[in-house]
Amino acid sequence: MGKSISSRIAKVVTGLVLIIGAVIILFPMYITIITSLKTQQESAADFFSLPSSFYLGNFISVFEKSGYWTYVWNSAKITIISVVLILVFIPMCAYAIARKMEENKYFKTIYFYLLLGIFVPFQVIMVPLVQYLTKMKLLNQTGLICMCLSLASSQGVFLLANYVKSVPRDLEEAASIDGCTTFSAYWRVVLPLIKPMVATIFVMNALWVWNDFQMPLLILNQQPGMWTLPLFQYNFKSQYTFDYNLAFASYLVAMLPVIIAYICAQKYIVAGLTQGAVKT
């Protein structure tokens, strides 16, 4: 009797915690959507109320802003190139480390060196990063892409190397008997099996690069023509006033690509997390 009561209490507490968490997550989204669909007069009258009509004027004004599509293109270009490089190089690096680190101290040293990057806050390396990129003349989009690849390597190699270890070596040995080279075995055998974790890496880094504000602010802020969308939104104000309706419309448009990317890769993410939890 006592156990049933305690289990019910536990379920109620769990339900309340989940409801509170959902409200905390969904309330900012609610504010973003309703504010982007209201006029300035409606927002001034009641900021939290629903819009009286489906007003799209804010989105039209955002799209007509000078240079808006240039900033969208800058963000898209940086995100696509960065994510492609991440998906090409990090899985190969993780595969080599996972297969060699137990027998080769060089690969183990590289693994733990990359792992240290997870524990170093970005704020610690901001100043030396800017100084280094300035000397290398990389305060541009190329330098930003290189930094995205570098900073993504620590977490990416950590996740993928442990996932690759769960793939039996027998499969690669069988492939080599059939005439496959090491690269062919990786490409045809290992890579399809680690696809769920690769999809997880893809979504995590696509979200990060597209929404990142700190690195573009440090690297691109002095070059308005190279701004990304978050930098444009940061500077999205006039001299005397700040139009919340236009700003929230811009935020909502900026969220759509990453939401679509997450929806498309969601099943692979879930598979990667669940399979990675039970494989040994």
Side-chain angles (χ1 to χ4, degrees):
M1 185 69 179
K3 289 184 178 180
S4 62
I5 294 175
S6 60
S7 64
R8 289 178 182 176
I9 294 174
K11 288 181 180 179
V12 171
V13 172
T14 302
L16 289 174
V17 171
L18 292 175
I19 291 171
I20 294 171
V23 170
I24 292 173
I25 294 171
L26 294 177
F27 185 70
M29 178 65 74
Y30 165 78
I31 294 296
T32 302
I33 294 173
I34 66 168
T35 305
S36 65
L37 295 173
K38 290 195 293 189
T39 63
Q40 291 187 18
Q41 292 75 16
E42 287 182 299
S43 295
D46 191 345
F47 190 75
F48 299 101
S49 65
L50 290 170
S52 60
S53 62
F54 199 68
Y55 180 67
L56 298 177
N58 295 319
F59 295 95
I60 296 172
S61 298
V62 167
F63 294 150
E64 291 177 347
K65 281 285 182 181
S66 176
Y68 177 79
W69 293 108
T70 301
Y71 306 131
V72 172
W73 167 243
N74 288 341
S75 283
K77 179 172 60 176
I78 291 169
T79 302
I80 291 171
I81 295 175
S82 299
V83 171
V84 168
L85 291 175
I86 287 169
L87 295 182
V88 169
F89 289 107
I90 290 182
M92 290 194 293
C93 179
Y95 171 69
I97 289 173
R99 288 296 185 245
K100 296 291 186 179
M101 66 181 296
E102 298 299 332
E103 56 198 53
N104 192 314
K105 292 183 179 179
Y106 172 73
F107 285 92
K108 180 174 278 190
T109 302
I110 292 177
Y111 175 72
F112 285 109
Y113 176 76
L114 291 173
L115 199 60
L116 288 174
I118 298 177
F119 303 100
V120 179
F122 181 74
Q123 290 76 9
V124 174
I125 64 173
M126 283 195 307
V127 174
L129 171 65
V130 174
Q131 293 175 340
Y132 178 75
L133 291 177
T134 302
K135 291 179 181 179
M136 296 291 292
K137 296 183 179 179
L138 285 174
L139 287 177
N140 49 40
Q141 293 180 357
T142 302
L144 180 58
I145 291 170
C146 291
M147 288 310 305
C148 288
L149 177 60
S150 301
L151 295 177
S153 61
S154 296
Q155 187 181 54
V157 169
F158 171 69
L159 293 174
L160 280 168
N162 287 282
Y163 201 84
V164 169
K165 288 181 181 179
S166 66
V167 178
R169 287 177 179 262
D170 297 344
L171 297 175
E172 297 162 67
E173 293 173 358
S176 64
I177 292 173
D178 291 336
C180 283
T181 62
T182 301
F183 180 77
S184 296
Y186 160 76
W187 184 259
R188 298 183 179 183
V189 178
V190 177
L191 191 58
L193 293 175
I194 64 173
K195 187 187 296 183
M197 186 55 72
V198 171
T200 303
I201 298 296
F202 159 70
V203 173
M204 288 172 54
N205 287 286
L207 289 170
W208 164 53
V209 177
W210 178 266
N211 292 320
D212 188 34
F213 169 74
Q214 211 162 27
M215 276 207 303
L217 179 65
L218 292 172
I219 298 174
L220 303 177
N221 195 42
Q222 300 302 318
Q223 305 177 64
M226 294 187 180
W227 282 354
T228 59
L229 201 52
L231 273 184
F232 163 72
Q233 293 170 340
Y234 172 69
N235 293 281
F236 191 62
K237 54 185 179 294
S238 64
Q239 185 176 359
Y240 301 105
T241 61
F242 182 75
D243 193 327
Y244 287 99
N245 301 88
L246 294 184
F248 278 102
S250 176
Y251 301 153
L252 189 60
V253 172
M255 285 190 289
L256 291 179
V258 290
I259 292 174
I260 293 171
Y262 178 80
I263 292 173
C264 293
Q266 182 181 15
K267 63 177 182 179
Y268 296 108
I269 297 172
V270 174
L273 295 175
T274 55
Q275 292 178 21
V278 299
K279 286 187 177 181
T280 58

